[in-house]
Amino acid sequence: MQTNPLLSAANEKLRQDNNKLTKRIIRETANAIVDYNMIEDGDKVMVCLSGGKDSYGMLDVLMTLQKRAPIKFELVAVNLDQKQPGFPEEVLPNYLTSIGIPFHIENQDTYSIVKRLIPEGKTTCSLCSRLRRGILYRVADELGCNKIALGHHRDDILATFFLNLFYAAKLKTMPPKLVSDDGKHTVIRPLAYVPEKDLMAYAELKQFPIIPCNLCGSQENLKRKEVANMLRAWEKESPKKVWNIYKSLSAISPSHLMDRNLFDFVNLRPTGVADEDGDKAFDADTFADYSPIEEEDSDEDRIDATTSQSDTSHKFQKIINIQKL
């Protein structure tokens, strides 16, 4: 039987693109874990699984890293069944059983609480998040987990930044790593460097059994969606623009902003000593161009650049330069 050469070429390109996508997501996740020392030897990580593309992708990548990392850490998948009407409660247990990972389903009717307290048409996300957070902290204690992994990605972090900027007059976003409200756990976001479009493609590639969130997904008036649309338009115009905005969140110059709590403007006086970080606000600007896609073949340089990190991070870094999947 004769093979169509055009079809064969198309299939080969698809295979290569899928391979690059998988390698990129794994590499960027490992980069974020190393940069912020998210996972250490002996950790027990509670992976919060909602049934959406992001948490499925996070669990899948963390399971891959768990197998390849020279450090030992445990994973347990946890889903909070909030008793939304029509929620297919068999989907996650069946999936988690099929991939062989320990899991726990926590049943709590937060849906009724949210619907009772929030007027119809108003944003439910804030209350829903607070209720979820308290329950997950308790479950982490019960399961003996010291790390809680959430599936927020690069675009979530950027959207939160602009929401705070536009509507709260604050330079603030979701950090890749923080200490929980109760002071007992470390909350991590391993997908902090991964753009949403990659996770969408990865979910399609892996055919995850996606469960839609009917509680908040229908609220078209959410400001977060407006910001997300803005970011998508910018990325369509220039992907590097969005990446550079994201990179700027970790390249702060307090002396060139206006926060008196971060920089002592009140007591600022000339010292008579030249300061190369002084008044550069009026110099010619130099702009960096960043794209992780263009860095796919530069992992060795990155490994060399991280030699000052802890031994655990050094070991974890070895998994970034993945040649075969």
Side-chain angles (χ1 to χ4, degrees), residues 254 257-266:
L257 293 173
M258 296 174 63
D259 192 331
R260 289 171 292 166
N261 294 315
L262 288 180
F263 189 81
D264 190 5
F265 291 101
V266 174

Side-chain angles (χ1 to χ4, degrees), residues 23-42:
K23 289 174 69 174
R24 187 164 64 247
I25 291 176
I26 292 174
R27 186 190 67 246
E28 290 302 311
T29 302
N31 283 344
I33 290 172
V34 170
D35 285 349
Y36 292 92
N37 196 26
M38 294 186 190
I39 298 177
E40 300 171 273
D41 196 43

Side-chain angles (χ1 to χ4, degrees), residues 79-141:
N79 169 253
L80 172 57
D81 184 345
Q82 299 175 272
K83 300 305 174 184
Q84 297 179 32
F87 183 79
E89 59 185 27
E90 75 286 349
V91 170
L92 283 171
N94 290 345
Y95 174 76
L96 295 169
T97 299
S98 72
I99 63 176
I101 187 171
F103 68 90
H104 170 78
I105 307 296
E106 180 70 15
N107 294 286
Q108 295 288 335
D109 188 3
T110 63
Y111 177 86
S112 296
I113 297 173
V114 170
K115 297 302 286 185
R116 185 176 75 250
L117 297 179
I118 303 296
E120 192 66 32
K122 297 294 183 179
T123 301
T124 61
C125 297
S126 179
L127 176 59
C128 186
S129 295
R130 287 199 301 274
L131 293 172
R132 251 196 342 261
R133 216 163 36 231
I135 294 168
L136 292 174
Y137 292 166
R138 173 181 58 77
V139 173
D141 274 337

Side-chain angles (χ1 to χ4, degrees), residues 6 29 119 131 152 161 168 178 218 228-229 244 288 310 314 325:
L6 293 178
T29 302
L131 293 172
H152 298 117
F161 169 75
L178 56 81
S218 62
N229 290 335
N244 280 337
S310 68
H314 287 163
L325 296 173

